[in-house]
Amino acid sequence: MIQAAVLGYGTVGSGVVEVIEENRSVIKRNVGEELHVKYILDLRDFPGDPYEKKVIHDFTQIMEDDEVKIVCETMGGVGAAYAFTKQALAAGKSVCTSNKELVAAHGPELLALAAAHKCSYLFEASVGGGIPIIRTLNNALTADRIEAITGILNGTTNYILSKMEKEGASFEAVLKEAQEKGYAERNPEADVEGYDTCRKIAILSSLMTGKSVNYEKIYTEGITKITARDFAYARALGMSIKLLALSRRVGEETLAMTAPFLISSDSPLYTVNGVFNAVLVKGNMLGESMYYGRGAGKLPTASAVAADVVDCARHMGETLTCFWDAGEAALVSMDNVARRFFFRVKAGCKERIEKLFGEGLQEIQLPEASEETGYVTGVMKEKEFAALYEQIADVLAGSRIRIEA
Ligand code: HSE
């Protein structure tokens, strides 16, 4: 029998215990022996919980118990979670986590520590919730050079944008409703400002390049400036608006960014709605493949952590491979990236706009909005667009949105 411990009995941690205990027989078949959760570490007690007897408050109990071979870190944050992860790996106990903050900040260090102590550091649940995208990059697409990754990686913002699109509602109204229903955090900043997505694309970009992509250097823009009117223009263009995470190879360098984009109905990501996530991966041999599923929520995320536990249990005494070195990947500036842009200006400045933006400009006049006009530019570099956009600051009627080809 293999014994595991769970650190943090919140939404994901309790889900992990539920998955391992309820799917005991299928996990036994897949591991080849029984797998149990021996301890649940939390500061709180859980009277009446079916697993209350497993709850402990002292991490050293786990460290001193040689029977515990696998630790699930579902605490979150980079404080105690980081310290406990290092201690466990240094003692040869594998760690499986959903903690994208910790993985994005210290991934290579923790992978090296695991390798030095013949155990594993696995983080399937840190990106895309229940979608097995990390395993796909590490174990399935290993004969391809990955050229690009494009993802909808945050369930909360995709839920908000989908609802704004469907109901013509404002960002503020949908966010409030999402908070009431528990789909968005009381402090929604990490989701709506794009920080969560940024960390996830940093992890995927690191696996794509095999080097460390520093999340602090990734251009990140959230969805707080997107309005119901923007969706009306999107509809007129046959497009949708999604918070995308992009990672592309540009020569020997990498372009990584997070921002809202207008995407056409031809994009496979167009129909990804609600809390669902999807990751589009382009390999140089395979071409495009897409991975879709629930990107957030207790059981989908817990299922991914538990699958990592099963993997560790099947490879006791080994280190599961992950190609992610500590050396920093070179990121390209967005300045020279060329794309089309959408922007809105007040009525009465058509001539000025046409003169500035020249060829390839497309005008969109919504019947219900005679006080303003929308425009889609021809293909131009970010820095060229930014320079022109600055010149029309006095007549803007909304914020610009990039267009993903
Ligand atoms: N807040 C995150 C989301 C949770 O909405 O996607 C999963 O990482």
Side-chain angles (χ1 to χ4, degrees):
M1 183 190 298
I2 296 174
Q3 301 279 16
V6 172
L7 314 185
Y9 201 44
T11 307
V12 179
S14 61
V16 171
V17 179
E18 192 177 327
V19 171
I20 292 177
E21 294 299 330
E22 288 208 8
N23 277 358
R24 186 177 302 185
S25 60
V26 72
I27 288 174
K28 182 179 174 190
R29 184 199 67 192
N30 289 340
V31 172
E33 61 183 301
E34 279 195 30
L35 177 71
H36 273 295
V37 174
K38 187 166 184 181
Y39 304 111
I40 297 165
L41 181 81
D42 203 286
L43 291 171
R44 302 161 294 179
D45 285 309
F46 295 87
D49 184 277
Y51 307 109
E52 70 173 307
K53 292 210 169 68
K54 295 178 190 286
V55 176
I56 59 165
H57 307 295
D58 183 1
F59 182 63
T60 53
Q61 211 174 320
I62 293 169
M63 291 304 298
E64 284 168 3
D65 189 332
D66 288 340
E67 275 187 4
V68 176
K69 303 290 187 205
I70 304 165
V71 172
C72 304
E73 185 270 296
T74 51
M75 302 166 67
V78 290
Y82 182 34
F84 292 168
T85 298
K86 283 198 288 189
Q87 285 180 55
L89 293 174
K93 298 180 196 287
S94 289
V95 176
C96 307
T97 188
S98 55
N99 186 343
K100 63 230 148 194
E101 266 182 280
L102 185 57
V103 177
H106 299 290
E109 178 200 348
L110 297 170
L111 285 163
L113 191 58
H117 295 276
K118 293 191 168 46
C119 59
S120 297
Y121 183 56
L122 301 186
F123 45 89
E124 183 61 72
S126 65
V127 182
I131 304 173
I133 185 61
I134 307 286
R135 194 167 274 107
T136 299
L137 292 172
N138 276 338
N139 298 326
L141 304 184
T142 46
D144 264 65
R145 179 179 157 93
I146 305 302
E147 304 284 0
I149 297 176
T150 311
I152 293 173
L153 301 179
N154 183 271
T156 306
T157 47
N158 205 45
Y159 171 85
I160 292 172
L161 292 175
S162 303
K163 208 145 165 81
M164 286 174 71
E165 178 169 44
K166 201 169 156 207
E167 298 177 1
S170 71
F171 168 77
E172 292 76 16
V174 177
L175 172 63
K176 189 164 177 282
E177 190 197 324
Q179 284 172 314
E180 280 160 13
K181 288 187 171 163
Y183 294 153
E185 306 274 345
R186 261 148 70 121
N187 178 356
E189 195 186 9
D191 291 319
V192 300
E193 296 293 357
Y195 308 148
D196 175 85
T197 301
C198 163
R199 287 185 167 87
K200 290 169 176 169
I201 197 63
I203 295 170
L204 294 184
S205 302
S206 299
L207 297 181
M208 180 178 93
T209 59
K211 294 184 180 155
S212 276
V213 171
N214 183 343
Y215 72 92
E216 289 172 309
K217 294 187 180 166
I218 294 180
Y219 175 85
T220 300
E221 200 178 299
I223 64 163
T224 54
K225 292 187 186 130
I226 303 295
T227 63
R229 178 64 59 77
D230 290 326
F231 274 105
Y233 282 106
R235 201 169 303 116
L237 288 163
M239 292 182 168
S240 182
I241 303 169
K242 304 285 185 194
L243 180 64
L244 296 186
L246 308 181
S247 190
R248 305 254 183 291
R249 285 189 193 267
V250 183
E252 290 307 306
E253 297 178 320
T254 304
L255 167 73
M257 66 180 290
T258 292
F261 278 85
L262 277 152
I263 62 168
S264 98
S265 55
D266 297 337
S267 166
L269 295 168
Y270 179 84
T271 50
V272 177
N273 287 316
V275 295
F276 281 86
N277 282 193
V279 193
L280 194 57
V281 180
K282 188 175 175 203
N284 66 338
M285 297 292 145
L286 171 71
E288 280 189 341
S289 58
M290 188 161 101
Y291 308 88
Y292 170 84
R294 288 189 182 276
K298 177 176 170 172
L299 290 178
T301 311
S303 157
V305 177
D308 278 348
V309 176
V310 168
D311 239 358
C312 290
R314 286 164 126 178
H315 298 93
M316 298 301 292
E318 294 174 41
T319 302
L320 291 159
T321 318
C322 180
F323 304 102
W324 180 354
D325 289 342
E328 207 171 305
L331 296 183
V332 285
S333 140
M334 290 202 313
D335 283 357
N336 291 317
V337 176
R339 60 173 89 254
R340 291 185 300 149
F341 297 83
F342 166 78
F343 63 93
R344 295 159 45 192
V345 292
K346 293 173 194 158
C349 50
K350 186 176 160 84
E351 257 182 51
R352 186 175 154 198
I353 297 298
E354 283 180 352
K355 198 169 161 205
L356 271 177
F357 285 85
E359 274 177 33
L361 195 66
Q362 179 189 351
E363 181 183 315
I364 312 111
Q365 190 63 60
L366 296 177
E368 71 272 28
S370 57
E371 75 283 8
E372 62 169 82
T373 306
Y375 289 96
V376 170
T377 69
V379 174
M380 57 173 55
K381 289 182 177 170
E382 282 270 351
K383 65 177 175 196
E384 290 165 357
F385 175 78
L388 295 175
Y389 192 65
E390 215 177 278
Q391 293 181 46
I392 56 168
D394 56 319
V395 288
L396 289 176
S399 62
R400 59 96 182 86
I401 307 175
R402 296 176 177 84
I403 298 183
E404 173 65 349

